[in-house]
Amino acid sequence: MKRTKGDQLFQLINYAFLIAAAATMLLPLIQLLAVSFSSPIAADSKLVFLFPVEFTTASWSHILQNKGLWTSFGITVYITVAGTLLSMLFSVLTAYPLSHRQFLLRKPIMLGIIITMIFNAPMIPFFLTVRELGLMNSLWSLILPGVIGTFNMIIIRTFFMGIPKELDDSARIDGCNEAGLLIRIYLPLSKPVMATVSLFYAVGYWNTFQRAVLFIRDPEKWPLQTKLRAYLTSPEELAAVNLVLGDYDFNTTTLKAATILFATIPIVLVYPYLQKYFVKGSMLGSLKE
C-alpha cells in the first residue's frame, strides 16, 4: 500500500523526535568521555565538547590503578549477580502459583502485594527492621530487603497467565507435576520476559545507593555508586596522588568524568545482549491478562 504524504510526514517527525531524544541521552556521555581524555587546562576552561582537547590517558590510568574503586566494583558485581539471581528465583516462585486461577488464596495474596505498591514502609521502621535482623554493615542488607520487586513479579505473573492452559493439561496427562510444569513448560516459553525482568533487577542492584548509605558503615564495603558519591563530593581524595607524584596531566574535573564513566559503562554494555528480548518481554508481560 502506497503511503500518503501525511504518513510520510508523520514518520519523518517520529524519526526526528527519536533522533533528538537519543542525542539528549548520548551527548552528555560523549562529552564526559571527551573530558576524561582531555588535559586539565582544556577541561577547566570549558573547551571540550565532543572530542578530546590535548589528548591524554592520565585520568584513566589513575582510575584503573585505584584499588578502592576496583574493590567497590567487585562488590557491586557481586551484589548485582547474587541479587538478580535471588530476585528472579523468588519472583518466579511467587508469580507461578498466583498465575493459576484455581489457587484459592490468589486474590487475597495479590491484594496484599498490591497494597505494598501503594503504601511503602517508612524509612525509620525499615531501618530498624534491618538492624534488628542483624544485617547492618552486611552486603545482604543491600540484597534481601528488595529481593522481590512487586512490579517485576506482576509482569512475570501476567506473562504466565497468557500461556495457554491446554499446555498444563497436556503436561499433567503425561505425568508432569507442578515443578516440572514450571521448569519444562513455563520457563522455556518465558525467555523474553525473564531477560527483561532480569535487566530491571540488574540495573536496580547496580545502582544501589540509598541502602548502602543507610546500612553500610565500613567504607571498604561500599558499592560503586556510594564510592562514586564519596569521590565526587570529596574529589581531593581521588586526586591526592597527583600531588604526591607531581603528576599534573589530570585534575579533579577529568577524574570525575572518568570515574562516572567507569561506573556507568559496564551496565550499559549488558543491554545489547538482551535487546532482542527487551521490548517483546515488556509488552507481553504488561499487556496480557
Side-chain angles (χ1 to χ4, degrees), residues 63 66-76 79 142 206-210 212-213 216-238 255-256 259-260 262-263:
I63 290 296
N66 190 305
K67 293 182 180 180
L69 279 179
W70 281 111
T71 300
S72 296
F73 180 85
I75 291 172
T76 299
I79 292 170
L142 308 180
W206 185 270
N207 291 327
T208 297
F209 173 74
Q210 184 181 33
V213 173
I216 304 297
R217 296 289 178 263
D218 185 359
E220 296 297 322
K221 294 183 179 180
W222 280 349
L224 192 56
Q225 306 303 329
T226 311
K227 182 72 75 173
L228 176 62
R229 191 284 303 263
Y231 283 159
L232 294 183
T233 55
S234 301
E236 294 79 10
E237 179 183 354
L238 190 63
L255 284 173
K256 283 181 180 180
T259 307
I260 292 171
F262 179 84

Side-chain angles (χ1 to χ4, degrees), residues 230-278:
Y231 283 159
L232 294 183
T233 55
S234 301
E236 294 79 10
E237 179 183 354
L238 190 63
V241 70
N242 74 328
L243 299 177
V244 176
L245 301 179
D247 187 351
Y248 297 98
D249 290 334
F250 60 86
N251 65 356
T252 56
T253 302
T254 59
L255 284 173
K256 283 181 180 180
T259 307
I260 292 171
L261 289 171
F262 179 84
T264 304
I265 289 175
I267 195 64
V268 172
L269 295 179
V270 173
Y271 179 73
Y273 296 100
L274 301 177
Q275 184 179 9
K276 63 179 179 180
Y277 299 115
F278 188 77

